[in-house]
Amino acid sequence: MSQTSLDDDELFGEAATEMRSDVEASLAEARGALPDGDAVWDVEADNTLGVLNALKTALDVGDAEDHLRDAKKWYTMGERADAFEDADDLAEDIASVEALIEDVEDAREQVGGLTSTIPQLRSTLEEFEDDAADAEADADAEEAEA
């Protein structure tokens, strides 16, 4: 084997190692950008709408999607170049982080829906209570007249 091909093999091996490190680092950054469990669980507010708004804010995935995209990009490059000897763990980690990001985003959308629904529900319930009180007052007035 010539010196050139040995150097090329060594360079390819180094590049593969660096690529794997890049994927792992991007996955770590994606995990780090996800909301903290306590931030989602422990929210403080004066009313339901405040709690929902705080929860929606806490469920922001931040830069996690960008970091996941970087991990997937480097993983794809490494896979296509057949640079990884065993990349099953990377594929599993990518899928795991991707699923978690999707779950957090789904929860954020649900909270967003409640954030817009709760004020309307409150108004409707208050109107219903007012109508019921008016009907009761009218019934009482009719009884008093009779």
Side-chain angles (χ1 to χ4, degrees), residues 63-126:
D63 293 332
E65 289 177 303
D66 293 336
H67 296 303
L68 177 63
R69 181 175 172 75
D70 286 343
K72 289 171 82 171
K73 175 178 60 176
W74 291 114
Y75 175 80
T76 301
M77 290 293 294
E79 278 293 290
R80 287 191 180 167
D82 199 25
F84 304 130
E85 289 181 20
D86 181 24
D88 292 342
D89 62 325
L90 293 177
E92 290 172 11
D93 286 349
I94 288 171
S96 174
V97 170
E98 187 170 36
L100 184 54
I101 288 173
E102 288 173 6
D103 288 347
V104 172
E105 288 178 333
D106 288 346
R108 189 166 200 259
E109 286 178 24
Q110 291 174 16
V111 170
L114 283 172
T115 301
S116 63
T117 302
I118 293 298
Q120 180 61 42
L121 180 59
R122 179 182 181 207
S123 294
T124 302
L125 289 170
E126 286 174 344

